[in-house]
Amino acid sequence: GAVVSQHPSWVICKSGTSVKIECRSLDFQATTMFWYRQFPKQSLMLMATSNEGSKATYEQGVEKDKFLINHASLTLSTLTVTSAHPEDSSFYICSAPRAGRQNEQFFGPGTRLTVL
Amino acid sequence: AQSVAQPEDQVNVAEGNPLTVKCTYSVSGNPYLFWYVQYPNRGLQFLLKYITGDNLVKGSYGFEAEFNKSQTSFHLKKPSALVSDSALYFCAVRDGMTTDSWGKLQFGAGTQVVVTP
């Protein structure tokens, strides 16, 4: 099956710093990737749709200047949490649909962010 | 607009007994329905999907789900639960009528399944 990886798997940072999370499709190309946020024991909330070669599309209520998304290649999307605060602590998960299997999204293992 | 409801926060079942996780949905167009499972600190693993065709869908690890259009439900079932099935289960829906070829998934709140030996 298709594989999506995320790096790092967990990160701890100080308040005010920026953190970059990478999402890679390892064995297929993804023109679109999705970024989700998940609070403990809660559902996934879609943050934004990452589009290769163009601007990301953000969901209502998500600050685009705080959560910077770059989709520079067909296998890599990055989410940068800028000036992180403790309330940004969460589990961030990316997903990518695969061409020919667009009704199925493949999820990364997630990144646990803790902001002190 | 699309939405998904998983009415149970947690389902407890003894190993070997049947397992059912409930899901109801609402979409304006044709529903594309999915079930995913999540183990602690892990991403989501795909279990099964309904796009069209037979209402009974068989998926991974012995799971199946039945699409019921009149009741707008897509309950997940397993005839005989295993302790290893203990995890968080998510139902998701997307509108099959969307012009966006990938679509956006709307997830339910999740149901924690606890299977006891």
Side-chain angles (χ1 to χ4, degrees), chain B residues 39-107:
Chain B
Y39 295 95
N41 294 311
R42 301 290 297 276
L44 273 65
Q45 296 179 30
F46 172 79
L47 283 178
L48 50 79
K49 66 182 177 185
Y50 171 82
I51 305 301
T52 186
D54 291 339
N55 289 343
L56 183 64
V57 178
K58 294 187 182 295
S60 306
Y61 313 118
F63 284 94
E64 60 186 30
E66 185 166 12
F67 171 63
N68 188 316
K69 187 174 182 178
S70 62
Q71 297 185 5
T72 61
S73 67
F74 190 57
H75 301 329
L76 181 70
K77 299 181 180 181
K78 185 170 183 178
S80 179
L82 300 172
V83 173
S84 57
D85 293 329
S86 298
L88 188 58
Y89 290 79
F90 290 100
C91 181
V93 66
R94 61 165 279 205
D95 186 347
M97 295 294 289
T98 179
T99 56
D100 176 358
S101 62
W102 305 123
K104 297 177 183 177
L105 287 178
Q106 180 70 46
F107 284 88

Side-chain angles (χ1 to χ4, degrees), chain A residues 37-114:
Chain A
R37 182 173 181 177
Q38 183 183 29
F39 291 103
K41 297 186 178 181
Q42 293 190 29
S43 188
L44 281 72
M45 300 299 296
L46 180 65
M47 298 175 65
T49 303
S50 174
N51 304 298
E52 189 269 335
S54 65
K55 292 182 179 181
T57 305
Y58 290 82
E59 296 301 300
Q60 190 172 12
V62 178
E63 299 177 59
K64 62 181 181 181
D65 294 330
K66 180 169 185 60
F67 298 99
L68 300 179
I69 291 174
N70 185 282
H71 196 147
S73 78
L74 288 171
T75 58
L76 173 64
S77 174
T78 60
L79 168 68
T80 301
V81 183
T82 62
S83 186
H85 291 282
E87 57 265 30
D88 299 325
S89 298
S90 190
F91 195 52
Y92 292 88
I93 302 175
C94 70
S95 73
R98 183 172 184 173
R101 299 175 67 176
Q102 60 264 38
N103 291 315
E104 201 172 312
Q105 289 190 27
F106 297 92
F107 286 81
T111 297
R112 172 74 61 192
L113 170 63
T114 301

